[in-house]
Amino acid sequence: MDTCAISEITILPGHDKQGRPEKFDSLVIRPGDTLSIVGPTGSGKTALINDIEVFAQNDTATGRTVLVNGRVPPEEYIRDPSMKPVALITQNTKCLADLTVEAFLTMHVKARKLQDPGIVRETIDLANQFTGEQIQPSCRITALSGGQTRSLMVADAILVSNAPLILLDEVENAGIFREKVIRVLKEHCKSVIFVTHDPLVSLLSDRRVVMRNGAVEKILEPKGKERQVLEMVERMDVTLCMFRERIRAGELLVEKGFPA
Amino acid sequence: MKLIVIAGPPSAGKTAVARQIIRHFLGKKRVAFLKIDVVRAFEDEELRAEFGIPARKVYSGDLCPDHTGIMVLADALSWAEENGAEIFIVESAGLCLRCSPYTTQSLGIVVLSAVSGMNSPLKMGPMISLADIAVITKTDLVSQSEKEVFRERTKEVAPHVEIIETNAIQGTGLRYLMRAIEQTDEIEDPGTITLRGIPPLGVCTICVGKQEIGWQKHSGVVRKLEGADDLFRGD
């Protein structure tokens, strides 16, 4: 089955840590959707994306079921990892290979049996849109900064893995342009789910899934109601980014007023 | 009784996988566990304390652990039977990658760690190629690309092997492993169980403890450096 043929992924409710049923009917994710999963530590955020990653069929601790195009997904989606239409990048995910960026991507392209010779270059160019520190093809993977590595992994998941659904578990750190990532993911018609504590990422997402005690507590769809706050947070983010760059450049920041 | 043989290099997560299997079948099937190791092992004590199952270990000391495993397996099967086990898990020490402890009438599981480097599947012989299932652990720690390359390399070595990727500590994605265990046939006749592969040659003066280096000092199956490449043909 062609993974491009995924028109929706549906999450059906399970239960909380005490076994009480979750209070939502279903959560449907379509191409280009952005969702944030928020909630305190231990509220079950990672368990929810793990359910999606393994296409749970009421056989994980949460009792949830995940459908593809409204049906139980074909078994090879789950059994054959190379068919899996999901890429998961977590805060623990590292690139271990001691190779140049170019060799690393070439190796992945070969494993994926892709024929497009320009894809390595494209992936590096895309990663460079996500990070302020330019990645060169000749850089060694192990010498990249955290932001560069994250940017490369996201670009690689979009272009090389070509996964329709990308799960990002707490990958907010400085050095990756989150707005740009979200825009590009939408352009490529990818669905993306963020597990996040970051106000900007949460506000930029179409929907917010609020977790508590192992269960989905509610699903918020602001539909523009948060626009003012989002604009303010975006301005703050721009300011912070600017200060960060100036600190890096060795400046002393002594201005009196703030461009709020 | 079903026989499950778990092999794989040190610290790949063999015991973590065994623990998930025991946890899954707890209350449904009686499980017994045997660990074969060289110097020290704690798995039996840990699993007995955690799950209250019959568990024991064998140390091979100066002997090759897979050799030890092969020697004690028939007795171990009787021990597991006496303890009323319906699933018997044997975990190898997994040292030299040349051996393959899998037998007929068993489910052979090789546990590989995704953080062991993308070429590591290519460095293992029959430990992968004779297994039924390859459980790749610690996949949460490596990038999507390395996970995919590792998977392809594993398939290169063993095209038939079924691959299951997991974070074995959490037990994610192991449902098909459990299903494979449920579908594994019971042992028909312990008297007819044999190894799946041919054990390595152990017929030289090195094996018996002669310490000099260089082929001139040894007799048996010896080769010079030039021409040593075709020493290993494997299964």
Side-chain angles (χ1 to χ4, degrees):
Chain A
M1 179 169 169
D2 184 7
T3 52
C4 301
I6 294 182
S7 54
E8 56 181 44
I9 290 176
T10 311
I11 302 166
L12 300 177
H15 46 74
D16 70 10
K17 290 179 184 173
Q18 279 69 43
R20 290 182 296 252
E22 287 182 293
K23 295 175 279 190
F24 70 100
D25 297 333
S26 75
L27 174 59
V28 180
I29 304 157
R30 295 191 176 85
D33 283 3
T34 50
L35 268 80
S36 293
I37 302 175
V38 301
T41 304
S43 58
K45 302 189 292 293
T46 298
L48 176 57
I49 61 166
N50 281 338
D51 283 346
I52 300 167
E53 207 234 349
V54 302
F55 292 104
Q57 300 297 316
N58 191 12
D59 55 2
T60 60
T62 64
R64 294 190 188 102
T65 299
V66 179
L67 305 176
V68 176
N69 299 344
R71 292 189 301 273
V72 173
E75 202 162 283
E76 53 273 12
Y77 270 25
I78 315 167
R79 293 199 75 149
D80 179 355
S82 62
M83 296 284 297
K84 199 183 269 190
V86 176
L88 170 65
I89 300 170
T90 75
Q91 52 193 341
N92 301 326
T93 303
K94 300 264 184 300
C95 291
L96 303 166
D98 189 20
L99 296 168
T100 65
V101 170
E102 195 167 25
F104 179 82
L105 291 171
T106 304
M107 183 190 69
H108 187 195
V109 167
K110 239 167 70 186
R112 277 260 156 190
K113 298 178 185 65
L114 301 174
Q115 299 304 329
D116 178 2
I119 196 162
V120 169
R121 192 66 249 192
E122 268 173 72
T123 307
I124 298 172
D125 290 346
L126 182 61
N128 280 332
Q129 292 184 39
F130 300 151
T131 172
E133 311 164 275
Q134 292 300 289
I135 302 167
Q136 298 300 330
S138 59
C139 288
R140 293 199 87 75
I141 289 273
T142 40
L144 298 178
S145 72
Q148 287 176 315
T149 308
R150 294 263 174 268
S151 304
L152 188 67
M153 284 200 267
V154 174
D156 171 84
I158 294 172
L159 293 176
V160 185
S161 295
N162 197 12
L165 175 61
I166 299 180
L167 308 172
L168 299 172
D169 189 353
E170 294 191 33
V171 292
E172 55 240 18
N173 56 5
I176 181 160
F177 303 144
R178 291 152 298 184
E179 270 181 279
K180 181 78 195 174
V181 170
I182 291 177
R183 212 168 35 241
V184 168
L185 287 165
K186 275 192 183 297
E187 279 166 18
H188 282 83
C189 239
K190 304 292 182 198
S191 324
V192 62
I193 300 180
F194 297 92
V195 171
T196 188
H197 299 286
D198 181 272
L200 180 63
V201 171
S202 311
L203 291 164
L204 281 167
S205 307
D206 307 326
R207 282 174 288 169
R208 270 211 302 285
V209 178
V210 183
M211 303 297 296
R212 188 174 312 271
N213 191 30
V216 172
E217 164 104 334
K218 52 188 169 184
I219 301 167
L220 300 171
E221 194 163 3
K223 289 194 169 150
K225 288 197 200 81
E226 293 176 320
R227 205 185 60 237
Q228 280 185 310
V229 175
L230 172 60
E231 283 169 7
M232 186 173 77
V233 172
E234 280 174 333
R235 281 198 303 274
M236 288 174 174
D237 193 61
V238 168
T239 309
L240 281 172
C241 279
M242 181 191 70
F243 283 142
R244 190 178 300 124
E245 290 309 317
R246 288 176 55 196
I247 287 169
R248 274 186 178 160
E251 289 182 38
L252 206 56
L253 310 181
V254 291
E255 52 255 73
K256 296 282 185 290
F258 289 105
Chain B
M1 185 170 77
K2 299 174 196 285
L3 173 60
I4 313 289
V5 180
I6 301 180
S11 70
K14 295 187 292 296
T15 310
V17 171
R19 188 175 265 120
Q20 294 294 354
I21 295 172
I22 297 165
R23 187 172 292 137
H24 176 86
F25 286 102
L26 209 61
K28 297 178 216 158
K29 296 259 187 216
R30 283 191 301 280
V31 183
F33 174 86
L34 170 71
K35 169 75 188 181
I36 294 144
D37 219 318
V38 182
V39 183
R40 290 298 298 278
F42 307 94
E43 289 82 350
D44 60 319
E45 297 156 37
E46 287 170 10
L47 295 176
R48 194 181 314 117
E50 193 171 345
F51 300 109
I53 59 165
R56 61 190 294 179
K57 65 187 158 215
V58 178
Y59 290 144
S60 63
D62 288 339
L63 199 62
C64 153
D66 281 323
H67 184 123
T68 305
I70 293 161
M71 275 196 310
V72 304
L73 188 57
D75 295 345
L77 287 167
S78 310
W79 168 79
E81 284 279 8
E82 284 157 24
N83 278 279
E86 292 162 282
I87 295 176
F88 181 33
I89 301 173
V90 178
E91 184 187 316
S92 82
L95 292 180
C96 81
L97 314 181
R98 170 57 197 88
C99 274
S100 151
Y102 317 116
T103 63
T104 56
Q105 304 179 50
S106 79
L107 181 72
I109 301 170
V110 62
V111 179
L112 304 168
S113 153
V115 302
S116 62
M118 286 170 296
N119 290 328
S120 70
L122 305 178
K123 299 177 182 182
M124 293 178 207
M127 194 189 267
I128 294 186
S129 59
L130 294 176
D132 299 304
I133 294 183
V135 177
I136 302 175
T137 59
K138 310 185 198 186
T139 49
D140 53 312
L141 303 180
V142 301
S143 64
Q144 186 73 19
S145 4
E146 284 157 286
K147 198 159 66 173
E148 289 174 12
V149 172
F150 195 95
R151 186 192 304 154
E152 290 305 315
R153 303 256 154 108
T154 308
K155 279 189 174 158
E156 220 173 291
V157 179
H160 68 279
V161 86
E162 183 174 346
I163 293 177
I164 294 171
E165 293 178 340
T166 182
N167 162 353
I169 300 293
Q170 306 267 349
T172 51
L174 286 178
R175 78 185 86 160
Y176 289 107
L177 177 68
M178 303 312 168
R179 200 165 80 176
I181 292 171
E182 277 157 20
Q183 292 171 346
T184 296
D185 293 330
E186 311 272 317
I187 296 170
E188 274 179 49
D189 175 8
T192 59
I193 293 179
T194 60
L195 285 177
R196 289 186 195 182
I198 300 163
L201 297 168
V203 285
C204 71
T205 42
I206 300 167
C207 308
V208 296
K210 208 163 173 269
Q211 287 176 298
E212 291 91 341
I213 59 164
W215 59 272
Q216 300 91 336
K217 304 276 197 314
H218 291 280
S219 55
V221 181
V222 292
R223 292 282 191 285
K224 303 179 190 180
L225 174 60
E226 302 305 326
D229 314 359
D230 58 355
L231 213 55
F232 170 77
R233 288 193 184 77
D235 284 289

